[in-house]
Amino acid sequence: MMNKINKMAFSFVLMLLVTWSCVNDDDYNVPSPGDPEIIMIPADKITTFRAIHERYEQAINNGNLIATIDADEDIYLEGYVVSSDAAGNFFEELIIQNKTDDSNPDNDPRLGVKIDINVSSLSDTYEFGRKVYVKLSGLTIGKSSGIITIAKGEGKRLEQIQEFEYRDIVLRTEEVATIFPKSTTLVNLTEADRNTLIKLVDMQLNRFELGATFASESIDEFDGLRTLESCNSGVSIIMQTSTFSDFKSLIVPQGQGDITGVFSRDFGDDFNVIIPNSAVDVDFGNTERCDPMELDCGLAESVGTENLFYEDFESQSNNRLIEISGWTNYIETGSEGWEGYSSTSTNASLGRSARVQPASSGDLSNITWLITPAIDLDTYNDVTLRFKTSNSLADSSFMEVLYTLDWDGTEANVTSATWGVLSAAYVVKDSDSFVQWFNSGNVDLSCASGTMHIAFKYTGGGIDTFDGIYELDEISVDYVP
């Protein structure tokens, strides 16, 4: 009797094991990176990234915020994953681009999109380099934080693709490709480069942020925003790191080198950012930094009782180049210089101000200088400088306040003179509100000697990622008699 019971128990256990082994493991677990998935999509059903971008632009031209793809439109988008949430710097999104490299950029430009998915740990399924097909039927195309996004949609709103459906929409193939980022400089980036993997060469962390972590400072609420600058052009961009990333507490490397990441926009769509997938994407191994010469006498406690010169640009004409006796308005590259400007809009001028606006100029680069009259530091005591600046979405363009002690006053020798940075002067930042005007502080010049000129130098261009507006006003140089 006992043997019969044992045989029945064994048969029952065996039946359970067989049944368990027949369950499809994919119903309960995400596929491992090695699981092959052979997907064959007919070529006539595959659309292009350019067509996706054009659908969105057409919708905008027709007065719509999103473009909707009909549910019966059987089309797919083929791309490669260039984002990874493995280190926590991306969340509930996939960034895919159409190419593994930047070959043939003129006839077949490299483009990308974001896919908005209400699922975390997407890199477990769609790791970096994974080739995917996105089934577009019934989806929508819009902009989220300034970048082209594919998602679900209701009315005029983008909504996330949900967990129960995402694996039927983003189809995972067996191919994991090697992705070669576009190696470029900031001045050559355009809007088309957003949502794609780029490598910025010869970059470094801004000298005023040395020692900062990626994203664990007291000011970092959701993201750490660190200013990176080009050693070749001086142009800057913000590196964005989530406060939920696993490398947030690491110190940003303090040398110079290259950074690889996704070119994007910040959450509020106010400025360009580069988002690394992990800390190893920031390769600043060269210990030789490219910091400029600086003059830092600090900020003076008081303003001198006498004024050497004051300029508020009220005598200038709107949209005409600044022309003031003793001042130099020098256009180094491009066609745009400092002009008179007056506005009562939300980013109003201070009466009339000086402004640089290269948008629609068609110039790849605009570099322009507004240089003060000579300041004799040996004749006047306790000389100080004050001014105000504002911007309207700087878009990676920037303004510097420079000084020289050896310029001869001629335009021909502006760039050959020795220029340094007045580091104590505050200039409006790319991340500052474009509504406000910011005071420079009472910049002390008394630790220098000789004849000084001060330059307000703008670097930007006519392309859409580099065409920010800067405004300048109420420049005052004072001294103690």
Side-chain angles (χ1 to χ4, degrees), residues 186 200-204 228-230 235 237 255-257 259 284:
L186 282 170
L200 298 176
V201 298
D202 297 325
M203 301 291 293
Q204 68 177 20
L228 305 182
E229 58 193 12
S230 167
V235 180
I237 191 172
Q256 67 163 295
I259 176 174
F284 292 171

Side-chain angles (χ1 to χ4, degrees), residues 25 45 106 245 260 283 288 296 304-305 339 380 402 413 442:
D25 185 64
K45 293 184 181 295
D106 295 328
S245 69
T260 300
D283 184 14
E288 296 293 326
D296 187 3
T305 57
E339 298 179 341
Y380 301 100
L402 308 177
N413 292 325
N442 192 33

Side-chain angles (χ1 to χ4, degrees), residues 63-138:
N64 300 314
L65 295 179
I66 62 175
T68 301
I69 301 172
D70 293 337
D72 59 356
E73 192 171 356
D74 189 18
I75 58 173
Y76 296 79
L77 186 66
E78 178 186 288
Y80 299 87
V81 177
V82 294
S83 63
S84 173
D85 57 16
N89 209 26
F90 287 87
F91 181 67
E92 296 187 351
E93 61 184 351
L94 288 177
I95 310 297
I96 66 171
Q97 65 184 43
N98 58 345
K99 300 165 64 177
T100 60
D101 55 33
D102 194 39
S103 59
N104 195 16
D106 295 328
N107 298 325
D108 182 23
R110 198 187 54 142
L111 297 170
V113 298
K114 180 176 86 170
I115 306 173
D116 202 0
I117 305 173
N118 187 22
V119 176
S120 59
S121 300
L122 287 167
S123 59
D124 291 343
T125 307
Y126 309 104
E127 67 272 41
F128 184 87
R130 177 68 64 177
K131 181 179 177 180
V132 297
Y133 288 100
V134 183
K135 186 177 182 180
L136 297 172
S137 305

Side-chain angles (χ1 to χ4, degrees), residues 47-60:
T47 189
T48 65
F49 279 67
R50 178 182 284 177
I52 293 298
H53 283 242
E54 289 174 350
R55 280 195 183 222
Y56 171 74
E57 295 299 331
Q58 184 177 7
I60 293 297

